[in-house]
Amino acid sequence: MKKKFVVPAVSLALMSQFALADAIRGEVAVESNRTGPHLGILKGGYEFATDYGQFGFDVEAKSRLGGRPYGENQHESGLHEATFAADYTYKFGNAYIQPRVEYTRNVANDANTGKVALKGGYNFDNGVFLAARYRYEGTQNNNSLNQSELGDVKTNRSDLTAGWAGDIVGISFNYVNKDANAERKANNLKLNELETKVFLTNLGSYQPYIQYTQKNFDSTNYNGTPLKDDSQIKLGVSMKF
């Protein structure tokens, strides 16, 4: 029997076997950072079909749960950051293209970031999926330390995703490349990450997942020195009703 796979708009995780229709979408997750704070994540949104595609929007909040203490220049706030986003998905058979805009208010670092992205992909009938995304991020640093050391930061981010979703389980790999230019730095920050995600596909509206991210491999700081390896583990559930 041929399976039908559709576009996710909640995150990079592909939620398979959902029809293109009006739906509430959301996510609950816990994120553990080896060299940073542990965060709780709550996301909720809505999407609905139009004549040409599907419009969606969501709101995400990240709250501090512990882990490495904040620095002296950071605000000790329960709300780490909040993101407001909207996207529009155009489908062409098994292919799709999705522009998306986001605004993030980072309370801990007193920073504001605007993001504009364009994502495209293809979902094969056998469960294999491929996607690519480019995102431009402009960050305004308002706390005194980051403003004096970095100033405003402009980041070019690229994602390449490949995976497979079966009747019970799926797996995906997402390679992330970031090239950041800081107003007060002569050289760019260059970051590489690899996200590996395993998710369940047989629980209807719910898709539990676990994701491991290897950070900072073959990466360099603004001064050109290699960055120390870092990692992150994320455990969560994506939902669509």
Side-chain angles (χ1 to χ4, degrees), residues 2-205:
K2 181 180 289 188
K3 300 182 182 67
K4 183 178 181 181
F5 295 91
V6 299
V7 181
V10 176
S11 66
L12 287 175
L14 288 176
M15 302 185 66
S16 61
Q17 299 174 326
F18 288 120
L20 187 67
D22 297 2
I24 296 172
R25 64 194 194 190
E27 185 175 353
V28 178
V30 176
E31 178 183 290
S32 178
N33 295 280
R34 190 175 75 184
T35 60
H38 305 324
L39 302 173
I41 301 170
L42 181 62
K43 180 187 288 187
Y46 187 74
E47 59 186 42
F48 55 91
T50 70
D51 291 339
Y52 300 101
Q54 191 160 25
F55 175 79
F57 63 89
D58 49 63
V59 178
E60 178 186 81
K62 292 186 177 183
S63 298
R64 176 176 165 78
L65 300 178
R68 184 177 178 180
Y70 285 140
E72 292 182 1
N73 63 311
Q74 294 176 304
H75 296 294
E76 292 287 350
S77 173
L79 177 62
H80 182 84
E81 70 177 31
T83 298
F84 306 87
D87 51 56
Y88 200 92
T89 304
Y90 302 87
K91 285 183 61 67
F92 312 94
N94 286 7
Y96 67 89
I97 187 170
Q98 182 192 79
R100 179 176 170 92
V101 294
E102 302 179 31
Y103 165 75
T104 297
R105 169 60 182 168
N106 191 307
V107 180
N109 295 310
D110 193 11
N112 301 299
T113 302
K115 308 171 187 178
V116 180
L118 183 63
K119 180 179 179 181
Y122 192 91
N123 301 318
F124 295 89
D125 292 332
N126 61 2
V128 174
F129 54 85
L130 302 171
R133 183 183 71 170
Y134 168 76
R135 188 170 79 188
Y136 172 81
E137 305 175 3
T139 300
Q140 180 185 52
N141 286 306
N142 297 314
N143 75 53
S144 57
L145 182 59
N146 285 348
Q147 178 55 236
S148 62
E149 291 189 353
L150 299 175
D152 294 341
V153 178
K154 300 176 181 179
T155 303
N156 294 292
R157 169 174 171 157
S158 300
D159 294 68
L160 294 174
T161 306
W164 170 81
D167 292 330
I168 299 175
V169 68
I171 187 170
S172 67
F173 303 94
N174 184 51
Y175 169 71
V176 181
N177 175 264
K178 300 178 184 179
D179 190 313
N181 173 262
E183 181 182 7
R184 306 192 191 284
K185 297 291 186 180
N187 299 315
N188 286 11
L189 174 73
K190 298 182 183 296
L191 296 176
N192 292 289
E193 301 177 355
L194 180 63
E195 302 170 349
T196 302
K197 176 179 287 187
V198 177
F199 53 93
L200 297 179
T201 61
N202 62 341
L203 297 179
S205 298

